[in-house]
Amino acid sequence: MFAQIRGNLNRQAKGLELLQELQAEEFELLVKRDSERISSLEFSIHELLRQLAVERDELKTFMHGTGILEYARLIPEEEGAEIRALMEALDRAEQQSARQAEKNTSLSLNLLDKSHELMLFLYDQIQPKQQVVYSAKGGYANSRPQAAIFSGRL
């Protein structure tokens, strides 16, 4: 039983290390604005998160409702210390991953805002400007700033 729990916790720790590496790579790609590689990397991150969730569920099922730290108190001291160390490492890795995910999210949302601002600016630049001109009748002409299918008199 101890070997299964230790193996599960080790797999989770290695998975979180890989997640940190993928998140760091994602941040670099966000800085470079390489959207094609970001989207493929996102699939890898999501699959890894799914696998980590499966590992957690398997551990919960295997433990039958007993907490890991509670289990660590019940087993011999050296094995319990190993379990506690793995749990601390998992907790640190989760915290680091959460911080990196926050950075990545913040950067991607900022890039989205800048792209939206640029799109609005370009749209404003290509939009025809309303010009005040005289009509054939000697008054100001009514111009339509929006595109119109029909023009002329009915």
Side-chain angles (χ1 to χ4, degrees), residues 130-143:
Q130 185 173 357
Q131 298 177 350
V132 180
V133 295
Y134 289 107
S135 69
K137 296 180 181 179
Y140 286 117
N142 293 333
S143 63

Side-chain angles (χ1 to χ4, degrees), residues 19-20 22-28 30 41-42 45 97-111:
L19 179 62
Q20 289 173 354
L22 291 175
Q23 286 176 325
E25 184 179 345
E26 179 186 33
F27 187 80
E28 291 173 10
L30 282 168
L41 187 61
E42 278 297 314
I45 289 173
S97 292
R99 283 191 293 275
Q100 186 64 44
E102 180 63 34
K103 286 180 187 178
N104 292 0
T105 301
S106 177
L107 180 58
S108 65
L109 290 176
N110 287 337
L111 290 173

Side-chain angles (χ1 to χ4, degrees), residues 41-151:
L41 187 61
E42 278 297 314
F43 286 117
S44 299
I45 289 173
H46 287 287
E47 178 61 24
L48 179 59
L49 289 173
R50 186 194 66 76
Q51 290 173 0
L52 285 170
V54 167
E55 288 289 334
R56 291 256 166 111
D57 287 342
E58 286 177 3
L59 185 61
K60 285 180 184 178
T61 302
F62 185 72
M63 295 296 295
H64 301 290
T66 305
I68 295 293
L69 295 178
E70 182 181 339
Y71 170 75
R73 284 193 309 260
L74 299 174
I75 59 177
E77 183 59 35
E78 61 188 35
E79 292 174 350
E82 185 178 351
I83 295 292
R84 282 190 291 280
L86 282 170
M87 287 301 295
E88 289 173 10
L90 282 173
D91 189 47
R92 279 192 307 274
E94 285 177 2
Q95 295 299 322
Q96 289 173 347
S97 292
R99 283 191 293 275
Q100 186 64 44
E102 180 63 34
K103 286 180 187 178
N104 292 0
T105 301
S106 177
L107 180 58
S108 65
L109 290 176
N110 287 337
L111 290 173
L112 176 67
D113 290 343
K114 287 296 179 188
S115 296
H116 184 69
E117 289 174 14
L118 178 61
M119 182 196 66
L120 291 176
F121 173 76
L122 291 174
Y123 180 75
D124 186 51
Q125 294 300 309
I126 62 171
Q127 183 81 12
K129 306 292 183 237
Q130 185 173 357
Q131 298 177 350
V132 180
V133 295
Y134 289 107
S135 69
K137 296 180 181 179
Y140 286 117
N142 293 333
S143 63
R144 294 186 180 99
Q146 302 297 325
I149 297 175
F150 297 106
S151 63

